[in-house]
Amino acid sequence: MQWSTARPDWEARIVAGLSLLPDNLPIFKPRAEKALRIFKRLKLVDMPGKPTLGEVSPEWIFDLVYVVFGCYEPALREQLIQEILILISKKNGKSTIAAGIMVTALIMNERAMGEYLILAPTKDIADNSFEPAYGMITADNALFKVFKPSDVTREIENRLDKSKLAVKSADADVVGGQKAIITFIDELWLFGKKSSAANILSEATGSQASRSEGFVIYATTQSDEPPTGVFLQKLQYFRGVRDGTIDDPASLALIYEYPPSILKKNSQPWRDQSTWYIPNPSLGTSVRENWLARKVKAAEIEGLNVLSLFVSKHFNIEAGLGLKDANWAGAQFWPAAMNKRLTLQEVIRRSEVIVIGIDGGGLDDLLGLAVMGRCKVTRKNLLWSHAWAHEIVKKRRTEIATRLDQFADLKQLTFVKLPGEDVYQLADIVMEVEASGLLAAENAIGVDSFGVAAITKALTSEERGIAKERIVGISQGWKLNGAIKDMERDLAGGQLVHSGLELMDFAVGNAKIVPRGNAISIDKQVSGSAKIDPLMAGLHAQVLMGLNPVASGASGWDVDDLDALEAKIEAEVARAEANALAEAKADAVSHVY
């Protein structure tokens, strides 16, 4: 049987409140129905009256359980969907889902001494899943006779066949050597911050190669910082599966987030209370709308940092743009100005003139390059960016090493091993623009005033031959106030279009505004290790574009249209004759007087 786990119409369905699960999945109904009966009978001891999951869970959770256990080939004892990603907002019952699914799996186990694992990034998060699982066993006399739970080892063992469910934390427990049939990875976003996460997850899930009935569930809220590491990798992959751009019928995505079509119209859709059900599928059950409303108001009063954290966790809004305290105002409009098709070659193809901004380049810095063209049709500014970094920066700035590796994998950042390699690679791109004839004749290349020497030497070498006069030192600090404000207005008004690079999202999200008298600046020292060099390069290009440049190779004469060319020549001749006559009259008058 052929099936697909893609849900390309997910945007319309999530707005309509419909299921995100595909329609044509290969369900073995007897197993699916049995699992759902078991799941619904499990009790929640931390709720008044100890209700069952069947009494308090929303329908989307029942659908999930039905699919997770039902996508199974009984003749081969083979699980057909082997990896599932669940992205839901906080308080939507993620830890309870983990406990319920894994206890159900343990009850249905058919392998003697079978192992099941819930893996969390910290002990506290592990306890959040173990405690409801422990309660599900102890609250049911029939289950307690068969299963022996231990709150010391965080394990639940079948007294008869010795199969067991273990709940472990990656920060304290040894994860290597696992033989888990089913693994539930909780709070994947926190694993994304661990440099060792890929090895940890490989150890935790590798045993499924020899256990055909096994599968992995990744469950997470959004990150409190821009997604990174294994979290970013999984999120991008499963979005591709959901959208149908990645064909992987063994993977299933259940991602509750605002659609791009909504975010493009409104970068803060969570301010509309009528949309809260989109990232909160359990709204009305485990998530109370009046509680959310009260907490949103409180977070707004407490400040933008608190508000940014709250909306990332409770509305699945990716952090990094538009809400952090002292953030640059242009960050709010950055997402809507994105065009992923805008490559360097596309900027060259569409532009009538191009300027270049450069910033950074120290061993602890990124070297940022911004190529900004003025579109010959729309007159909009088109921005493409790239950056370079020395390998040593990953050792000196360990807190952003994973992010830099991510940008390198996306071909948006290049690592170099020797000083100078970055400058010469950058110079090659400048020469590519110069060869197009579109690089501005004057004020073509803007460089941080403190970093002019190395760039100037590379570009004015005999091999490249850029005139020194075309390279401009750009004053920093408050003197960039005009460019900062201009770029804000261009973004808000749709006058600036950028390439939608994750590198630039990172830099824009890091930009901090510092008042300087009556002006403002974007301060590198305030941003600290969170690099902003590529954005600063963009501001340098903005300064030069504001000078209304003309391309070095542009004569202003269109030789493809001979009629227009002839008319223009005649007009120029007439203008020259008129000027000459005017000058002659002026000379005559001056002689009389």
Side-chain angles (χ1 to χ4, degrees), residues 112-326:
M113 301 180 69
E115 296 182 11
Y116 298 84
L117 174 66
I118 297 177
L119 181 63
T122 67
K123 181 182 180 299
D124 287 343
I125 295 173
D127 288 342
N128 287 342
S129 292
F130 177 75
E131 288 169 2
Y134 182 93
M136 290 170 187
I137 299 299
T138 57
D140 189 304
N141 290 332
L143 291 179
F144 192 54
K145 288 177 182 179
V146 179
F147 297 96
K148 179 176 67 175
S150 170
D151 56 1
V152 176
T153 61
R154 294 204 300 269
E155 291 181 346
I156 299 171
E157 183 179 67
N158 188 313
R159 302 174 194 268
L160 304 175
D161 66 8
K162 302 303 179 184
S163 59
K164 66 180 178 181
L165 166 63
V167 182
K168 295 191 175 185
S169 57
D171 63 350
D173 298 315
V174 177
V175 180
Q178 293 298 311
K179 298 179 182 178
I181 299 169
I182 298 174
T183 303
F184 194 109
I185 308 293
D186 201 4
E187 293 294 20
L188 184 63
W189 72 274
L190 275 171
F191 283 99
K193 296 187 176 186
K194 293 177 177 284
S195 59
S196 59
N199 290 335
I200 293 172
L201 297 187
S202 178
E203 288 286 348
T205 63
S207 61
Q208 276 136 35
S210 60
R211 286 160 172 76
S212 61
E213 74 271 35
F215 57 87
V216 182
I217 297 178
Y218 302 97
T220 187
T221 57
Q222 251 304 347
S223 177
D224 59 358
E225 296 179 347
T228 187
V230 293
F231 173 51
L232 178 65
Q233 294 163 11
K234 294 292 184 187
L235 186 57
Q236 290 177 333
Y237 186 86
F238 279 92
R239 279 174 174 162
V241 170
R242 173 198 63 188
D243 297 345
T245 58
I246 296 175
D247 181 19
D248 181 3
S251 295
L252 175 65
L254 204 58
I255 301 175
Y256 289 92
E257 61 184 355
Y258 284 107
S261 57
I262 289 180
L263 290 170
K264 193 165 186 178
K265 294 177 183 176
N266 181 7
S267 63
Q268 299 179 11
W270 50 270
R271 290 192 180 277
D272 181 357
Q273 191 167 334
S274 68
T275 70
W276 287 358
Y277 69 93
I278 292 176
N280 290 281
S282 298
L283 193 67
T285 53
S286 63
V287 181
R288 291 181 293 116
E289 191 167 355
N290 60 350
W291 179 89
L292 265 183
R294 185 169 58 84
K295 287 295 184 180
V296 166
K297 290 180 181 178
E300 288 178 324
I301 293 171
E302 291 179 58
L304 290 179
N305 278 342
V306 175
L307 183 60
S308 177
L309 177 60
F310 187 85
V311 299
S312 70
K313 290 301 175 186
H314 291 275
F315 300 106
N316 275 345
I317 298 291
E318 286 193 16
L321 295 174
L323 275 177
K324 288 186 177 179
D325 194 20

Side-chain angles (χ1 to χ4, degrees), residues 323-343:
L323 275 177
K324 288 186 177 179
D325 194 20
N327 248 41
W328 173 47
Q332 179 179 345
F333 307 100
W334 189 260
M338 170 184 70
N339 183 345
K340 286 281 189 179
R341 298 188 300 275
L342 200 60
T343 62

